[in-house]
Amino acid sequence: MNKLTFDIAHMLAGSLVLVSFMQLYQDRLSSLINIFALHALVLTASVAWQAFVQHAPHLYITATIAFVFKAVVIPVALRRIVVKLGIHRELDNVVGVGLAMLAGIGLVALSMVVMLRVTAEADPLAREDLAFALSVVLLGLLMMVTRRNAVSQVIGFMSLENGLVLAATGAKGMPLVVEISVAFSVLIAFIVIGIFLFRIRERFDTVDIQALDRFRGERQ
Amino acid sequence: MALIHDLAFQGAQMLLVLLLSPLLTGFVRKVKARLLRRQGPPLLQPYRDLIRLMRKDVVLADNASWLFRVIPYLVFAATWVAASLVPTFRSGLLFSWTADLIAIIALIGSARFFLALAGIDAGTSFGGIGTSREVMIASLAEPAMLMIVFTLALIAGSTQLSTMAAFMNSPEVGLRVSLGLALIALIIVAIAENARVPVDNPATHLELTMVHEAMVLEYSGRHLALIELSVMLKLLLYMSLIACLFAPWGIAAATATPAFVAVGVGAYAAKLAAGGFLLAVFETSIAKMRVFRVPEFLGAALMLALLATLLRFVSGSF
Amino acid sequence: MVVYALFGVLALVALAPVAIALNASARATALVYSASLMITLIVGTAALLALTGYDGAGSAVTLPLGLPWLGAHFRIDALSAFFLAVINLGGAAASLFALGYGRHEEFPGRVLPFYPVYLGAMNLVLLADDAFSFLVSWEFMSLSSWALVIAHHRVRENLRAGYVYLLMAGFGTLALLLAFGLLAGAQGNYAFDAIRAAHPSTGLAALVLILVLIGAGSKAGLVPLHAWLPLAHPAAPSHISALMSGVMTKVAVYAFVRITFDLLGPPDWWWSLVVLAVGGISAVMGVLYALMQRDVKRVLAYSTIENIGIIFAALGLALAFKAYAMHFAAALALTAALLHVFNHALFKNLLFCGAGAVLSATGERDLEKLGGLIHRMPQTAFVFLIGCTAISALPPLNGFVSEWLIFQAILLSPQLPSWGLKLMVPAVGALLALSAALAGACFVRAFGIGFLGRPRSDEARGAQETDTHSLAAMYALAALCLIAGILPGLFIDTLAPVAQMLTQGRMPVQTGVEWLSIVPIAESRSSYNGLLVFVFMTASGMIAAFAIHRLASDRIRRSIAWGCGYPDPGPLTQYTADSLAQPIRRVFGTLVFSAHESGEMPPPGSTAPARLTVKMRDPVWDTLYAPVADFITYASERLNVLQFLTIRRYLTLVFMALVLLLLVLAIWP
Amino acid sequence: MTAFNALDAVLLIPLVAAAALAVLPGYRLTANLNVVASLATFLTSVSLFLFEPRSGDYLLVDDLNKVFIVLTTFVAFTTSVFSASYIGHEIEIGRLTPRSVRFYHAMYQVLMFAMNLALVANNIGLMWVAIEVATLTTVLMVGIYRTHEALEAAWKYFILGSVGIALALFGTILVYMAARPVIGEGLEAMVWTVLVQHAAKFDPALLNVAFVFLLLGYGTKVGLAPLHAWLPDAHAEGPTPISAVLSGLLLNVALYALLRFKMLLALNPASIAPGPLMVTMGLISCLFAAFMLYRRRDIKRMFAYSSIEHMGIIVFAFGMGGPLANFAGLLHMTMHSLTKSAIFFTVGHIAQVKGTQKIADLGGLTVTHPVLGWSLVFGVVAIAGLPPLGIFMSEFLVISSTFAREPVLATILVFGILVALGGLFLRLNGIAFGEPRGPSGPVHASYVPMFAHFGIVACAGIYLPPGLVAGFENVAKLLG
């Protein structure tokens, strides 16, 4: 294991966590979308680096998908939604940024603790990668939980998924990675379409999930 | 031969209690009257009353059912059977094993059960008042009585009256705390059961204060005579019971010679007289209670009897 | 033998589809009830034969049903044969009664299919010889009776009764299930033979006992698990009430006896303490409740609780004796208990049938609206009176015999060495004595207000005597009450194999005793002869009647009742059920039910009626059931918030769960 | 037909049928085709028992999944029969358009395909993909009525489902990571049969983390509290056949996945015991759902909560482990599938006849519609675990076998079951008995599937065929 390759992979994964943190403290939708594009870019770099390190050309496909789809198409689409709905300036944190950051730090610590218990047999690159991936996943989930707006929730979900891709590509020789990333892209497309033109817009005036609550079953 | 002999004694006992009971009632009345410085009716007045009543027409309430007409006979039969099974002057009655003390209590209970029904049958409120109070009194008196029976049965090792009387007569008994408690309880129960002052007043005819008389208010003629006779029998029964359990002196054994039997008869008469006298004295010296004081009075009996039983359970020496 | 019984059960169950197919026509009513009558009679007789000819082994069969690796075990031994006889006798009587009564049924379609199934299920409980078959039949019995309880489902109270019943039945079944779980162990040796062979440890056995007491006790109606019983028993059609009260509670007694005496191995002395206490309290509470009721069927239902209490008290005594290896005394107490089981089945069936006859004649169950029925329904009144006398434990009827035996057993108990029992037994004796006396009061009230006096409503005024089938059933039961009362020795001897099997002891043979007396221990100690008491009473009553009629007077005049000078008041001035119980309510009710009377007197000169209000609280319901119901309401209301969260909050739940689990991992050693 | 073909056919028939249904017009034709395809799949799956099929790197047939496959295809078949008449009525009253019905039928077969694939997959990745496809398909079907409530339910299902998907994937990746050092890189490290052989040597800590993610990911699909939120609404707002399929099948499929991973963990002695986690979640679900039953106003939502409760019991049973409890869990799962889907058939008929699924508007059903009313009573009796029906047997085994080992846990479970019994019957009283409410028109639907299920459930309560028992016992041993 080359020291440099390890360091670069480590650095890329670590910066993905960092970008996740950046996402956490964005309180405006438009800037959040920008940061997410950055998130996707870092992921692309990371995946590409893994493809290079592992000599796994199919991972380049994943990297391409991540770049084209997540760093370009989705942010553009989301920006259009946000502008169209006129909510690009809206603040939608449920808890304060400080609190969210604190929670995020806690989560990262948790994922480190959990992953460092993994015995030394596992290869260190993968281990570190996994800890970072877990952090990204947890931070994405935290984001989904602390945001009220559907767009930011989607972004949370996508960064969660970025964490998954990071983990999958970090797992050396894992089959089906490309398929999985495709499947997830489709999933996200569904969600975005759902918000954008499918039923949510058709039926609800705002994409704020609270508006949906009016139609929860059983409440007369 | 022995069977005929025993049968004769059993028959004698049955007749004796039947014939003696009005006399006892008459005696008590007489003593009471004398204590109040009245002349009082003659001793034989109860007999006359009964005969006169029997000859009279029965006047039935419009609503009285067939049960109302059957009940006097049932009550009389149950009381009589019970009374004839309590040893009076000679133990070892032929049919003494027919019913032990528990069964005798239950027979009296049967009589009361039917009498209480009779109180409701005519459909007046006075019968109801009697019944309702009677069942309340019974609901406390009966368990108290059963507890007394338990105590005595545990001391004597039997519920068979003959055996119990024989045991009580033996030197083994001695003075026991539990016996004393049981005696007091038994007296209280006997007073309540026989509708005597202070629980009830057999002489009253003020409807709101009476219990037993209210139940039988609608009875007349021969029915009333039977009821009255049953009441007298019951008084005799309780006196005999107390005598047989707590003063068993002089009761002739089953194998006794005629002389001993004669002594037994004499002793029995004396005991009845003493009992009647004491009852009369007690009744004249105390006032009738309010109805709702009665439960406390009877509750005391129940507690005493329960205490006696508990003592017996805990140790044989009490 | 057991195979025939199973065929009987099968035939009963097969009647259900027939009833459905016949679509509840009049023909179906006749067919179902007469077929049930025949089958129960046959099975009951067979069981009786099996009991009298019991050879110590019984007959068993294993069918490839139920739990696959276990099969369904069925067996008849002395105990189950006795209970089979009791249950089928009760079933036969109820079926005969229903041949007449069932014709008035408004919704036969909701009764006929379930009735034979219910009978079959009860039989099956007694036949079962492994835990699974037992519980299946047990709960199936509850289920079929539940369907019968809610037969008249449009009455809200019935639905509620059925609901409470089903819940309590489920509760009891689960308690029994846990008990069997303990007995069978983790390996699942569910066959009774295996359970018998494995001796559980003391602590385990104690837990089993408590669970069984809860499981069987809730079905039997022991206080404080009785709450469902007075609701459910009266709600069903009367012949079903008779079965539920008279028969199904006996199945519960069977379950208790089977497990504690047979399966659980040698008892500890303190078990009896629990059973005795519960039994004594049930006896007194049951009858006190009964005294406060107006609905005649509820009176009867509460009285069932009393009698079950008596039975359990006797069983407790038997356990105590058994624990100290006093085999003879244990046999006496057990025989007393089982005899009371039989007796109660007889008179409770009889009384419920009587109540049913009254209900179908007047449409009323409320005592305050009855009265004077003895004139319109003399025969029903007669048999009902016999039932009342029997249940009040009055000689010479059967109720007295079993209570007498119980008292005899109590008198043997000072020999018990343990101090706890020395204090408990007399206390329970006092409770039983109290309950016996109160039962007398209760049935004076039930019969007196219902049948005597003057009618309190037009319905009661227009009542008609009930039909011949119903009367035949009631007369048969009344006759049995009398026979069991005057020839108890016969029945005691029949019970000997059961006592032998469960206590390794037996009572002396009674059939050889002179004059057909019963002598439980020794003649010098105690004896009772119901036959002679009966003969003496009849003879002296007849002689008195004859003598007086011949020698004195036999004339009768009718006149208006003496009203103490007031002109003939209406029937409403009669004593009512409530007022009759008022002294007892004052004495006991203030303590037990926090009964509170408040009078409202109009001012002088006003013509407004005075009003007396009585408030009573049910202590058991208030302290035990209401809090549970409140807790469930509260908890469900609180948790219900979770139905209305936003998606984000649901995600938060997922997130929290994830973090929590990861934390667990992080601190996992 | 050779065995291998049978295995393929189980997957191919639904796939081909889905394609055909997507293009064919006319709801009668498509409905019938749907039935025929489901029947064919079912028959094929039965033939799996007759011929021992060969397992490959991607597909696998063993004792465990045979049980699941047959159950799934059977319920899918009966549901398709029910669905044929149900959907017809929905078109008549205009709740569905012919177009959406075509979509519905195609999706139905896609769902069948996905579930079958999840069950026969010999590859944890493939299994994951299949379960996700099944989830997405049902999302679309839940929202098919396009009412506010239906869309909301579908959306909720979609979002929560997606998160579940993601978590499950992470778990799957971790399992691969754990397996790779032992088995080596590549496909091999995701193949069940290989994983099981080497499970003892995997890194336990990694397996632990993996299991947590899998438990939450697939647990969301199973409907375990507190991950259950999508379940009641999805059941209540979707078409009733889908409610039946969801409760009867999809939950099972997710459970199947969970069981597979549990087996893996059980083989690795150094990893945490999966039992306690499953037991805890099972108990929480059971208790929580039991309390939730009390305040339900919608009949389908009520039975959805009852599904959560039963899933809790099943997970509890598997978590306890041991041959008896595992057997009980399998039996309970089978019986629950059959019973619950039959209840949904009944409820579907009821809702169509009465025009409402609000409990308050239903009443006296045994008077107006005796067959439906008593069927519902039967169903509730069965689902409440009363004898002599199938669920009683499994509850008997679960409780009696665990009480001796873990008295406190068993007591909690018993409490939950009792509370649930109370809740179910409280509502049943109002629906089936009392004064009749609502219209009393005739029922235009086939009772056959309902009766078939109830018949099986009734028989199973007192008699289980030895073949089935032997199969279950084998599987129970496998599950450890």
Side-chain angles (χ1 to χ4, degrees), chain B residues 57-58 60-64 69 73 97-98 100 106 121 123 129 132 158-160 163 207 218 222 313-314, chain C residues 375 400 404 408 419 452-454 517 524-527 529 545 549 553 555-559 562 564 574-575:
Chain B
D57 286 4
V58 165
L60 277 181
D62 283 332
N63 190 56
R69 297 166 59 184
Y73 299 98
W97 39 261
T98 303
D100 63 355
D121 190 49
I129 216 174
S132 102
S158 167
T159 53
Q160 206 68 312
T163 320
E207 293 84 354
E218 280 302 319
R222 55 179 185 276
F313 260 87
V314 170
Chain C
H375 302 287
F400 174 70
W404 185 79
Q408 293 300 334
W419 279 88
L452 302 180
R454 286 173 288 164
S517 290
S524 69
R525 197 175 162 100
S526 55
S527 62
N529 190 324
H549 280 237
S553 156
R555 283 187 305 275
I556 280 185
R557 278 191 288 134
R558 288 273 182 182
S559 166
W562 168 239
C564 294
Q574 296 177 90
Y575 247 54

Side-chain angles (χ1 to χ4, degrees), chain A residues 94 107 110 113-114 117 134 138 141-142 144-148 153 209-210 212-213 216-219, chain C residues 640 643-655 658-660 662-663 665-669:
Chain A
V94 176
L107 288 177
L110 179 65
V113 172
V114 167
R117 293 171 73 91
L134 183 54
L138 289 179
L141 206 49
L142 180 67
M144 289 187 86
V145 167
T146 52
R147 301 293 170 124
R148 197 180 284 126
Q153 290 191 338
I209 296 175
Q210 277 195 332
L212 291 168
D213 299 341
R216 275 193 310 268
E218 301 239 326
R219 186 161 274 184
Chain C
N640 201 37
Q643 169 65 30
F644 303 112
L645 298 184
T646 58
I647 295 178
R648 190 181 60 76
R649 284 182 198 272
Y650 286 128
L651 278 178
T652 315
L653 283 180
V654 177
F655 179 65
L658 179 62
V659 171
L660 198 71
L662 286 178
L663 273 176
L665 277 190
I667 58 172
W668 196 273

Side-chain angles (χ1 to χ4, degrees), chain C residues 156-180:
Chain C
R156 285 195 70 83
E157 292 81 56
N158 290 357
L159 267 186
R160 177 169 173 263
Y163 179 63
V164 176
Y165 173 41
L166 196 76
L167 273 187
M168 287 303 288
F171 172 68
T173 307
L174 287 172
L176 281 181
L177 176 50
L178 293 181
F180 279 123

Side-chain angles (χ1 to χ4, degrees), chain B residues 196-229:
Chain B
R196 314 298 302 191
V197 178
V199 173
D200 193 2
N201 187 352
T204 185
H205 280 279
L206 182 60
E207 293 84 354
L208 289 178
T209 62
M210 55 196 193
V211 179
H212 179 266
E213 290 297 317
M215 277 197 296
V216 301
L217 196 62
E218 280 302 319
Y219 275 117
S220 56
R222 55 179 185 276
H223 294 157
L224 185 58
L226 277 173
I227 303 260
E228 294 277 313
L229 187 54

